[in-house]
Amino acid sequence: MTRLSSCPLVSRKAPPLSGKVHVPGDKSISHRALMLSALAVGESFVEGLLEGEDVLATAEAMRAMGADIRKDEKGCWHIHGVGVGSLLQPQTALDMGNSGTSTRLLMGVVASHPITATFIGDASLSKRPMGRISTPLSLMGARFSGAEGNRLPMTVTGLYPAVPIEYRLPVASAQVKSAILLAGLNTPGVTRVIEPVPTRDHSERMLRGYGANLSVEENDGVRIISIHGEAELKPQHIIVPGDPSSAAFLVVAGLIVPGSDMIVENVGLNPTRAGLYTMLKAMGGQIEYLNPREVGGEPVADIAVKHSNLKAIEVPRSIVPSMIDEFPILFIAAAMAEGKSTLQGLAELRVKESDRIAVMAEGLKALGVSLEEKEDGLVIEGSAGEMLGQKDKMVSIASHLDHRIAMSFAVAGLVSKGGVEIDDRRPIMTSFPVFGELFKELGAEFEMGLVK
Ligand code: S3P
């Protein structure tokens, strides 16, 4: 594939990181803000929207289904929604690029509308399982026809009125939960999702905020979420807090690069997302929350980070969903810690943008890290602060169209003896377009190779 070798990023041993950087908008909340605004009647305003490729794919899809979406000169997004039940039939296939969240949530939206939509995506997205979405949405009456193994390209024909269901999630997945709740918006009656292990709750918070009749009961840690259709959503003014999953790369870099002392501003700390920070503190990371506040109904703080001598950790399985996207960068932190870290219960990582267990294991081994790959995770022997890799030996990493793999190894390069070359930096544009700029502000400059 030409794409894989055409746009490299080189990361080398960095000086101490210092200064203050501001984290851009949360990806999960940005997707939902566009979708719910497009389903409200009237004009919504969204400030701080993440302008990454994944979110822009959602915007394009909502336009194709009738919403009017534009950005003003001050950077605020204006969305004129069409109302629940009034989405238009898209005239061409919806190109979801690399974005699993856009695909899965929008399949839920389409499922209860009398329209047909075809979803297509890049090579990474086309490998990802969609059966977890088509199974519950078929029970509601939608029809699916996809490539072998329930993969993209996939055509979804919605049913109106759809059938309300009660569905117990077989995998801990906020995407599956959200798809069903979004389908429930235009379904008469009560649609219910039973969640044995809590996952990120942005959909619940935001659906309520837009005026949906949604209730959450909690019994022995099991959450039962009920949405009453057919809903009428009211337009909102949303301020999107910063993305804790993007901040993670900056915070871990501050902890592992010797001499660093810095502040990462605007970090969303919703408890269903903040597991990484709890773990890093337990590893002995010097992390302090400054100026705690609420932004857009979510807890937010600035994080002061200082270089720390990290200790190995065992991550409890119950905390995994609250840091599901942060394991690639936690693996890097574990590789620099003292002792053996056991990171298991992570089978879901095998079906993310890449097989994150296999790809991280391969890259860490290339950097000389001793580890054991398990079916559901990694056991990593840390270097106790010693730089990774060998002097004068650049390590090459294949990012497999996975933004978090590319960014994790870019951070590893900052503590490497001989540097790290990532084959393709373009996936970073899906979630964190200013990644390189923020590191430059902190004093670490990546070398961006020319497109060959
Ligand atoms: C997301 C849910 C998670 C996460 C993804 C974003 C969301 O996926 O990995 O990056 O916005 O709902 P799963 O539902 O597959 O765990």
Side-chain angles (χ1 to χ4, degrees), residues 27-28 32 101 104-105 132 172-176 178 200 324-325 348 352 404:
K27 183 152 75 76
S28 290
R32 288 156 172 83
T101 306
R104 293 181 173 143
L105 270 56
R132 56 181 60 196
S173 166
Q175 291 177 350
V176 178
S178 304
R200 66 190 68 192
I324 193 66
D325 291 336
E348 274 294 298
K352 293 293 179 190
R404 300 200 198 281

Side-chain angles (χ1 to χ4, degrees), residues 59-88:
E60 220 24 68
M62 296 322 299
R63 281 192 187 111
M65 290 190 279
D68 179 39
I69 302 178
R70 68 180 178 85
K71 181 175 147 183
D72 70 20
E73 55 296 336
K74 290 192 184 127
C76 177
W77 288 73
H78 298 234
I79 301 121
H80 280 270
V82 292
V84 171
S86 301
L87 289 180
L88 304 181

Side-chain angles (χ1 to χ4, degrees), residues 26-29 31-32 54 100-102 104-105 128 132-133 171-179 199-203 245 273 321 323-326 348-349 351-353 356 403-404:
D26 187 273
K27 183 152 75 76
S28 290
I29 295 176
H31 282 301
R32 288 156 172 83
D54 281 10
T101 306
S102 311
R104 293 181 173 143
L105 270 56
R128 299 184 68 187
R132 56 181 60 196
I133 297 292
V171 277
S173 166
Q175 291 177 350
V176 178
K177 167 177 69 178
S178 304
T199 64
R200 66 190 68 192
D201 64 357
H202 307 302
S203 295
S245 302
R273 294 287 299 283
M323 52 182 297
I324 193 66
D325 291 336
E326 282 65 80
E348 274 294 298
L349 295 198
V351 289
K352 293 293 179 190
E353 285 83 331
R356 288 182 174 163
H403 54 138
R404 300 200 198 281

Side-chain angles (χ1 to χ4, degrees), residues 6-234:
S6 55
C7 211
L9 175 152
V10 173
S11 170
R12 296 178 198 275
K13 187 171 164 196
L17 304 177
S18 65
K20 258 188 205 171
V21 283
H22 192 85
V23 177
D26 187 273
K27 183 152 75 76
S28 290
I29 295 176
S30 296
H31 282 301
R32 288 156 172 83
L34 288 172
M35 291 179 199
L36 296 182
S37 298
L39 287 167
V41 181
E43 185 178 14
S44 291
F45 305 93
V46 182
E47 289 179 62
L49 187 88
L50 172 69
E51 296 176 10
E53 288 170 358
D54 281 10
V55 173
L56 299 179
T58 290
E60 220 24 68
M62 296 322 299
R63 281 192 187 111
M65 290 190 279
D68 179 39
I69 302 178
R70 68 180 178 85
K71 181 175 147 183
D72 70 20
E73 55 296 336
K74 290 192 184 127
C76 177
W77 288 73
H78 298 234
I79 301 121
H80 280 270
V82 292
V84 171
S86 301
L87 289 180
L88 304 181
Q89 166 73 48
Q91 295 306 307
T92 50
L94 303 176
D95 188 351
M96 305 282 92
N98 189 254
S99 180
T101 306
S102 311
T103 309
R104 293 181 173 143
L105 270 56
L106 288 175
M107 284 182 173
V109 170
V110 169
S112 58
H113 281 76
I115 57 176
T116 294
T118 296
F119 293 82
I120 57 171
D122 70 5
S124 153
L125 185 59
S126 303
K127 284 190 208 144
R128 299 184 68 187
M130 296 299 153
R132 56 181 60 196
I133 297 292
S134 60
T135 299
L137 296 179
S138 300
L139 295 172
M140 296 180 80
R143 283 183 291 123
F144 290 78
S145 132
E148 209 186 316
N150 279 314
R151 288 169 216 272
L152 300 193
M154 187 172 253
T155 299
V156 185
T157 301
L159 176 70
Y160 179 78
V163 183
I165 56 168
E166 178 171 304
Y167 192 74
R168 191 180 173 91
L169 294 180
V171 277
S173 166
Q175 291 177 350
V176 178
K177 167 177 69 178
S178 304
I180 300 168
L181 295 175
L182 288 167
L185 273 177
N186 199 38
T187 302
V190 181
T191 297
R192 207 165 264 139
V193 181
I194 302 170
E195 196 179 39
V197 187
T199 64
R200 66 190 68 192
D201 64 357
H202 307 302
S203 295
E204 295 92 304
R205 288 175 186 240
M206 294 179 75
L207 279 162
R208 271 214 196 108
Y210 277 80
N213 179 351
L214 179 141
S215 62
V216 182
E217 275 171 69
E218 234 175 300
N219 260 330
D220 281 342
V222 176
R223 297 172 81 242
I224 302 168
I225 306 138
S226 306
I227 187 159
H228 297 247
E230 301 159 65
E232 197 174 304
L233 300 186
K234 296 181 190 64

